[in-house]
Amino acid sequence: MFKLVTALPDADFLAWGWRVPFWFSAVMLVVGLAIRLGVNESPDFLAERRRRLGEVKAAQAPLREVVLGAPRLLVLAICANVLGIAGFYFTNTFMIAYATTYLKISRALVLDCLLAVSVMQFLITPLSAYIAERVGVHRFLVATAAVSVLTPYAMFTLVDSGTLTGMILGVGLAVAGLGAFYAVIAGYVSDSFPTRIRYTGISMAYQLSGAIFGGLTPILGTILAEKAGGAWWPLALLFSLIAAISLVSVLALRRLRERPLQRAA
């Protein structure tokens, strides 16, 4: 969509073209609703209902119960999502501004790169889920987060080449790590919350992570790039920090998950 609408004349893009992706997102909303309506209750919920003789008492104030009853779990879940959310804001949003402003690469070339990387991500997601089931979810998350701590240095070196191939290899390398992590982290975080407050817990974790870290990442990247005169090493350190936050949080969640879920809540 970015590729199509940015090919419009500037006047048309500013007048109506920028709205086109939002219109088409309504189609995805219908698809998402159809999928959601076809999803059955989770096995954990059904098992809990059977254990309680057919009735699971819903939390009267799930928001308060999550915040006051499991604050550490909530914070770790928020931070565990940082790489998957903030990382994509970095590669898919901030890199456009960085490459066009400081490297003087055309927007069309950057969008060609992101289009190719998006196809890579499309393939990486199911493959990562399959591998994680084989080697163990926790081990897979730790490995991909650790790799993501290192990938930004290769990414910026390759992007600085200014060629389409170099940019695809560089950004694709970073997206391979964070995309693999993102494919698996949702299920891992979900299993960390007790059934009674799970839906509220995972929703708060994801949305707060997006609002705080996702929203701040392009802003911080822009400030660092401006302060460093376009030098990429502070930006690479920012990406490493994003990956490190998720890495530490996944390790901490593992220790928390080893306790009984009722105690964790």
Side-chain angles (χ1 to χ4, degrees):
M1 275 297 165
F2 281 3
K3 176 67 176 174
L4 291 175
V5 298
T6 53
L8 294 169
D10 287 345
D12 290 338
F13 175 78
L14 293 174
W16 57 269
W18 64 271
R19 294 184 173 92
V20 174
F22 292 94
W23 293 336
F24 273 89
S25 71
V27 178
M28 299 307 297
L29 181 64
V30 174
V31 173
L33 178 62
I35 293 173
R36 177 64 187 90
L37 293 176
V39 173
N40 296 322
E41 295 289 358
S42 70
D44 288 347
F45 177 84
L46 296 177
E48 181 75 2
R49 186 166 61 183
R50 287 194 298 268
R51 189 179 70 81
R52 299 195 180 203
L53 302 177
E55 179 181 357
V56 176
K57 185 179 179 181
Q60 295 301 311
L63 181 64
R64 183 178 62 187
E65 193 167 332
V66 171
V67 173
L68 299 181
R72 184 183 175 193
L73 178 58
L74 177 61
V75 170
L76 289 177
I78 290 171
C79 293
N81 277 295
V82 170
L83 176 57
I85 297 174
F88 278 119
Y89 273 88
F90 193 104
T91 57
N92 289 26
T93 302
F94 171 72
M95 285 301 291
I96 297 177
Y98 173 77
T100 55
T101 302
Y102 295 100
L103 302 182
K104 306 304 179 184
I105 299 173
S106 69
R107 182 184 297 155
L109 192 63
V110 177
L111 292 174
D112 284 341
C113 165
L114 293 179
L115 180 60
V117 170
S118 296
V119 175
M120 292 172 56
Q121 180 195 342
F122 181 80
L123 301 174
I124 287 169
T125 300
L127 179 62
S128 300
Y130 175 78
I131 295 174
E133 286 188 343
R134 290 281 184 167
V135 304
V137 173
H138 176 77
R139 183 181 302 173
F140 184 84
L141 288 172
V142 170
T144 52
V147 167
S148 294
V149 173
L150 304 175
T151 54
Y153 306 96
M155 173 178 67
F156 278 104
T157 300
L158 290 166
V159 168
D160 275 2
S161 69
T163 66
L164 180 59
T165 302
M167 293 174 61
I168 291 174
L169 289 175
V171 179
L173 183 62
V175 169
L178 69 89
F181 181 91
Y182 185 71
V184 180
I185 189 61
Y188 190 79
V189 169
S190 297
D191 287 344
S192 300
F193 284 94
T195 306
R196 172 182 169 83
I197 56 173
R198 177 169 296 171
Y199 194 88
T200 299
I202 61 176
S203 179
M204 287 183 65
Y206 187 86
Q207 302 303 336
L208 288 174
S209 184
I212 298 170
F213 294 98
L216 284 177
T217 295
I219 297 174
L220 289 175
T222 301
I223 294 173
L224 289 174
E226 186 66 24
K227 294 290 186 182
W232 60 260
W233 64 267
L235 305 173
L237 289 176
L238 173 61
F239 193 97
S240 293
L241 177 62
I242 289 171
I245 289 173
S246 286
L247 174 59
V248 172
S249 300
V250 167
L251 292 172
L253 268 178
R254 172 65 178 271
R255 298 185 63 182
L256 203 60
R257 285 160 58 95
E258 290 174 350
R259 306 174 187 177
L261 289 178
Q262 291 80 3
R263 181 182 172 191

